[in-house]
Amino acid sequence: MARRLNSDPMNRVLPALTAFVICLAACAAAPPSTPADAIDGLRVLVRLAPEATSGGAPDERPASIERRAAASAGVPVRYVAASGAQWHALMLICSPTECDAALQRLTADRAGFLVVQRDELRRR
């Protein structure tokens, strides 16, 4: 009678265990360092201006707030969270050298944003 090669449970467990250990080691490895001039971002709080036509509350969907803020700031924007009923936390995706100019452009858009301020409580 011929012996079956994979009948021993260790022959099946050992490769799976080896793959698990390799994956675990890869996850535990330190992430690559980012260069000093890497794109970081600036977290800001905004309060939307009322709609010009109705004077009522503006459309507060995160995607539309991101688009409006990105158009005003001139840099990509990521919606972070609502901060109360009227305030929204946004991340301006910009390098440190361009964040100040993006913040000024966003602040200048009074038709879209009633108030824009740095989120001093949440520094990255």
Side-chain angles (χ1 to χ4, degrees):
M1 240 187 197
R3 184 174 172 205
R4 294 176 71 184
L5 290 176
N6 284 332
S7 63
D8 184 15
M10 261 328 234
N11 285 344
R12 287 179 279 165
V13 173
L14 190 58
L17 185 59
T18 303
F20 175 75
V21 169
I22 290 171
C23 288
L24 186 61
C27 289
S33 62
T34 55
D37 62 344
I39 291 180
D40 190 14
L42 175 65
R43 187 169 162 144
V44 296
L45 292 172
V46 298
R47 183 172 178 189
L48 302 179
E51 290 193 6
T53 56
S54 68
D59 180 9
E60 295 187 8
R61 291 177 294 163
S64 66
I65 295 170
E66 278 183 354
R67 283 191 301 272
R68 190 181 334 171
S72 296
V75 297
V77 173
R78 183 173 51 94
Y79 186 91
V80 178
S83 181
Q86 299 177 6
W87 291 87
H88 303 275
L90 306 175
M91 178 65 71
L92 305 180
I93 310 299
C94 49
S95 67
T97 58
E98 65 183 352
C99 281
D100 285 335
L103 180 62
Q104 287 176 354
R105 289 189 296 269
L106 186 61
T107 303
D109 181 10
R110 290 293 189 193
F113 302 96
L114 204 55
V115 180
V116 178
Q117 64 186 37
R118 292 176 186 263
D119 188 354
E120 297 294 339
L121 297 177
R122 301 275 181 129
R123 296 266 174 152
R124 282 189 89 197

